[in-house]
Amino acid sequence: GITCTSEPDVKGNIIEAINYPVRIFPIGRLDKDSEGLILLTSDGSIVNRILRVENAHDKEYIVHLSSSIKPDFKKKMESGVEIYNPVRSEMTKTLPCRVKIVNDTTFIIVLNQGLNRQIRRMCSALGYHVVRLKRIRIMNFQLGNLKKGEWRELSSQEVTELISLLKHPSR
């Protein structure tokens, strides 16, 4: 239910929710109906390096559907799905991704792309409805045991690792 924006005029924004003592902003976004890991930073120079598709930084999600997964679902998702791109008012095919079926209605997906509501739109295009979507990893950062609304600062080792990963994309 939090809006992933640093715009102060947007009620219920992530910056308001975190109430951090210095100016920070989110790297990427989660839609209001989703939950999970999001990185926040005060260093604007790293944002595009993390988000650029060509840098191939993984984002991993666990997705729960309202109906059973059919046998061809994994192959269709992994090869890319035609979805409507509202920015360009045209259909676009998503980039290949990795999918692991967890059970009858749950799967894990790893994307390098980050289109608006991408997973929900991919599933919808294949006839499925997402009932819960949770981001569990960005690059090498895991959500771990953090609960909804909890946050923590990166350790100095994690910051060093992040800077190293950003110097060497596609790792």
Side-chain angles (χ1 to χ4, degrees), residues 57-68:
H57 296 304
D58 288 350
K59 292 171 284 299
E60 184 173 352
Y61 303 79
I62 186 159
V63 185
H64 302 271
L65 303 173
S66 62
S67 57
S68 295

Side-chain angles (χ1 to χ4, degrees), residues 36-49:
L37 179 63
I38 188 155
L39 297 176
L40 296 119
T41 185
S42 60
D43 182 354
S45 69
I46 68 169
V47 175
N48 285 335
R49 288 186 283 166

Side-chain angles (χ1 to χ4, degrees), residues 1-168:
I2 300 293
T3 302
C4 289
T5 183
S6 57
E7 296 297 324
D9 57 329
V10 175
K11 189 94 168 128
N13 70 63
I14 193 166
I15 304 309
E16 203 174 84
I18 300 295
N19 195 25
Y20 199 71
V22 298
R23 180 168 163 71
I24 56 173
F25 46 94
I27 301 173
R29 62 195 175 273
L30 284 171
D31 64 51
K32 270 187 155 185
D33 299 326
S34 300
E35 63 184 274
L37 179 63
I38 188 155
L39 297 176
L40 296 119
T41 185
S42 60
D43 182 354
S45 69
I46 68 169
V47 175
N48 285 335
R49 288 186 283 166
I50 290 175
L51 297 179
R52 275 195 204 117
V53 172
E54 61 268 19
N55 289 340
H57 296 304
D58 288 350
K59 292 171 284 299
E60 184 173 352
Y61 303 79
I62 186 159
V63 185
H64 302 271
L65 303 173
S66 62
S67 57
S68 295
I69 296 170
K70 296 181 179 100
D72 60 348
F73 175 81
K74 181 180 187 308
K75 183 178 179 182
K76 285 180 179 179
M77 289 289 280
E78 287 183 331
S79 62
V81 177
E82 288 280 334
I83 60 173
Y84 181 71
N85 182 340
V87 174
R88 295 189 172 166
S89 298
E90 65 186 18
M91 297 301 286
T92 187
K93 188 172 184 178
T94 60
L95 295 177
C97 62
R98 296 188 313 272
V99 171
K100 177 184 174 196
I101 305 299
V102 175
N103 62 38
D104 195 38
T105 58
T106 307
F107 68 97
I108 292 172
I109 185 169
V110 179
L111 302 174
N112 297 131
Q113 196 171 19
L115 300 176
N116 187 26
R117 300 179 65 86
Q118 180 175 346
I119 296 168
R120 292 178 191 280
R121 292 191 295 147
M122 290 171 74
C123 290
S124 179
L126 297 179
Y128 297 87
H129 174 72
V130 174
V131 293
R132 185 171 182 219
L133 189 144
K134 184 175 188 176
R135 183 162 47 206
I136 56 176
R137 181 174 64 86
I138 299 172
M139 298 166 54
N140 60 319
F141 299 99
Q142 304 275 343
L143 178 60
N145 296 326
L146 283 178
K147 307 274 186 279
K148 278 186 188 180
E150 288 184 339
W151 60 273
R152 69 172 183 85
E153 292 188 11
L154 297 180
S155 69
S156 57
Q157 180 182 345
E158 287 172 318
V159 171
T160 301
E161 195 172 332
L162 174 62
I163 300 305
S164 175
L165 286 169
L166 294 176
K167 287 180 184 174
H168 307 284

